Amino acid sequence: MSVDWTQLPKELVDIISKKLTIYGDYLRFQAVCRTWRSSVPSIPTHLPPQLPWLMLPKSQSRLQPRRAFFDLSNHKVHILNLSEAASRKRSCGSSHGWLVLLDETPEVILLNPLSRAKLFLPPLSSFPNVIAFNYSHIGREYLLLLLSSGDRYTRNLRQMRDYFIKKVVLSSSPGMDTGFFALAILNQTGDLAYCRNGDNCWRLIEGLLSYCEDVIFFKGSFYAVDKYGTIMVCDLRGYTPKISIVETPRQLGGDMQYLVGLGDELLLVTRYLDLELDFEPSRQNLIFRTNRFEVFRLDASGLQWERILNLGDNMIFVGENSSLSFSASDFPGCTGNCVYYTDDYSYTNDGVFIEPDLGIYRLSDGSIEPLPCYPANSFYGLQWPPPIWITPNPC
């Protein structure tokens, strides 16, 4: 006896849809028929974090204002119409599927590439170390204060866009939590500044030990790390931030540090860079290349970092994004025991030709292979802004 699947009870269709964990599968489920599409929410809110897409530079999209996103699971490129991210904007972070964008204006924009939803964080001119902002002061629109010494200096619109903020991390998805926090690492000093959705200015966090290299939201608080592996836990839920320091033996030798949450464990990922000389007829360039990664687990009882030589089925994504971890077996086309990385240290502006430092590092043998969308020895061309990982999130 044949079964007319379009006549399934709506309650059953909804139950089945909630068993789906991949956003692409959910879209295909909705597309089966009109009855199924009307039986389930248009925007799923039950999905776990999705495998990141790599947002490619503007040069990889043939038509503006479109942007290209590379999907690791099927090696396909998704083209999205994103006029908000197609002009002279720089991405300085991605969290929970939302991009943080800066322009040659004081605006700090949150953008969801899938839903096209857009929010505004407090502007650059509202940071505590920005004394004044004036468009009429061409070439020196911002007047800033170096808090450690009291010295004053100026920055123009492009310098503020490219160099003022290193990374912004969100506590939760703005589409799901209207009370989310944003935490920014200031590039020159490594200070941390925060705001809550609806605030009109940023506030500095006092009591930090040293220059912060990375930050993630983990177990209800922001965790920051300095160059030597010292952890600073920032709880922003009260009237004033509560800061606690996790002192660990100094990690020496690494060039960059990242924090990653893997289940209930906190991981430290150390990046090592090599310096190369690139000679061209007109100039000599100094180019940094990733040499290797080392991964450590925080031993909470002994307050020390323990080296991990094998991540098993797990894979880690680091770069200008909020660092992420996933199980490779949940996603076809992915490999466990690897670090997927992008370039988040080469600060440049549009008009400069560079080869981005990105790839897949295998902990098993220390080898590095190119990402599938960047075959070895290919000409990269104009690469601004650099590629960034972003998790597809419809809400």
Side-chain angles (χ1 to χ4, degrees):
M1 182 178 66
S2 61
V3 178
D4 185 357
W5 295 104
T6 64
Q7 298 304 311
L8 287 176
K10 290 187 176 183
E11 296 79 7
L12 182 57
V13 173
D14 185 54
I15 291 173
I16 295 172
S17 73
K18 288 182 169 55
K19 301 294 184 181
L20 301 175
T21 59
I22 306 298
Y23 181 53
D25 293 340
Y26 190 87
L27 293 178
R28 285 184 281 272
F29 184 87
Q30 287 180 314
V32 169
C33 64
R34 183 178 300 175
T35 302
W36 286 24
R37 185 164 57 252
S38 64
S39 300
V40 300
S42 58
I43 298 178
T45 58
H46 71 280
L47 298 177
Q50 302 293 290
L51 185 72
W53 291 351
L54 187 66
M55 188 173 79
L56 303 176
K58 291 191 289 290
S59 60
Q60 299 297 317
S61 303
R62 294 182 178 179
L63 298 176
Q64 298 290 356
R66 299 178 181 178
R67 293 299 297 268
F69 295 78
F70 181 77
D71 188 342
L72 278 171
S73 63
N74 53 26
H75 291 190
K76 291 183 178 180
V77 174
H78 305 283
I79 304 297
L80 301 182
N81 186 11
L82 279 184
S83 58
E84 298 88 349
S87 59
R88 300 166 63 86
K89 291 184 174 64
R90 173 205 161 204
S91 55
C92 64
S94 72
S95 293
H96 306 282
W98 291 69
L99 282 168
V100 185
L101 299 173
L102 300 179
D103 201 349
E104 292 184 30
T105 72
E107 291 182 344
V108 182
I109 301 170
L110 294 180
L111 174 68
N112 186 317
L114 287 187
S115 69
R116 298 288 298 275
K118 183 167 64 172
L119 295 172
F120 291 89
L121 295 178
L124 294 179
S125 55
S126 71
F127 276 83
N129 54 335
V130 177
I131 301 175
F133 169 76
N134 194 327
Y135 273 121
S136 65
H137 297 166
I138 299 175
R140 47 186 179 87
E141 289 86 354
Y142 289 88
L143 177 63
L144 292 92
L145 175 69
L146 190 59
L147 299 175
S148 59
S149 63
D151 294 337
R152 297 188 176 195
Y153 59 101
T154 61
R155 289 290 183 266
N156 62 34
L157 299 175
R158 179 171 292 187
Q159 288 170 332
M160 287 293 287
R161 180 195 68 182
D162 293 348
Y163 306 118
F164 182 66
I165 293 179
K166 179 180 181 181
K167 178 190 286 190
V168 176
V169 173
L170 306 179
S171 62
S172 54
S173 171
M176 298 290 291
D177 178 16
T178 58
F180 70 90
F181 287 92
L183 193 69
I185 304 176
L186 302 190
N187 206 23
Q188 182 175 357
T189 62
D191 289 322
L192 298 181
Y194 75 97
C195 69
R196 190 168 189 166
N197 184 33
D199 288 350
N200 56 16
C201 66
W202 295 82
R203 299 175 177 86
L204 286 179
I205 297 180
E206 307 290 344
L208 302 178
L209 291 180
S210 58
Y211 186 97
C212 294
E213 290 240 321
D214 193 28
V215 63
I216 63 168
F217 191 76
F218 182 69
K219 293 185 176 181
S221 297
F222 286 98
Y223 282 63
V225 64
D226 71 1
K227 185 177 181 63
Y228 304 107
T230 300
I231 300 297
M232 292 150 279
V233 184
C234 308
D235 185 350
L236 304 181
R237 290 171 292 185
Y239 182 74
T240 58
K242 296 180 181 179
I243 309 299
S244 57
I245 309 298
V246 181
E247 291 281 5
T248 60
R250 289 164 68 89
Q251 300 289 111
L252 301 174
D255 294 290
M256 300 181 69
Q257 305 283 13
Y258 303 90
L259 289 178
V260 186
L262 180 61
D264 291 331
E265 293 186 320
L266 184 66
L267 303 186
L268 177 72
V269 181
T270 303
R271 187 173 187 168
Y272 292 81
L273 303 173
D274 283 339
L275 180 62
E276 300 176 1
L277 294 178
D278 180 30
F279 293 96
E280 294 185 7
S282 59
R283 65 183 185 275
Q284 173 181 313
N285 294 325
L286 298 178
I287 300 176
F288 288 95
R289 291 278 180 258
T290 296
N291 172 271
R292 72 183 191 277
F293 287 90
E294 292 181 356
V295 182
F296 303 85
R297 175 192 294 112
L298 181 63
D299 177 11
S301 59
L303 296 183
Q304 60 183 355
W305 294 109
E306 296 179 343
R307 178 82 179 272
I308 298 177
L309 299 178
N310 193 330
L311 286 169
D313 183 50
N314 297 301
M315 51 186 178
I316 291 171
F317 291 79
V318 299
E320 214 164 23
N321 59 292
S322 180
S323 304
L324 299 163
S325 67
F326 294 90
S327 173
S329 59
D330 291 338
F331 302 96
C334 295
T335 306
N337 200 28
C338 290
V339 178
Y340 290 72
Y341 64 94
T342 60
D343 187 344
D344 62 330
Y345 61 85
S346 297
Y347 295 101
T348 183
N349 56 38
D350 45 343
V352 175
F353 288 82
I354 62 171
E355 293 183 2
D357 180 17
L358 72 171
I360 306 171
Y361 178 80
R362 298 183 179 274
L363 269 70
S364 57
D365 58 8
S367 62
I368 294 177
E369 65 180 72
L371 290 169
C373 52
Y374 283 89
N377 302 319
S378 64
F379 176 72
Y380 295 95
L382 184 61
Q383 296 294 325
W384 193 94
I388 184 173
W389 298 114
I390 178 166
T391 54
N393 176 18
C395 54

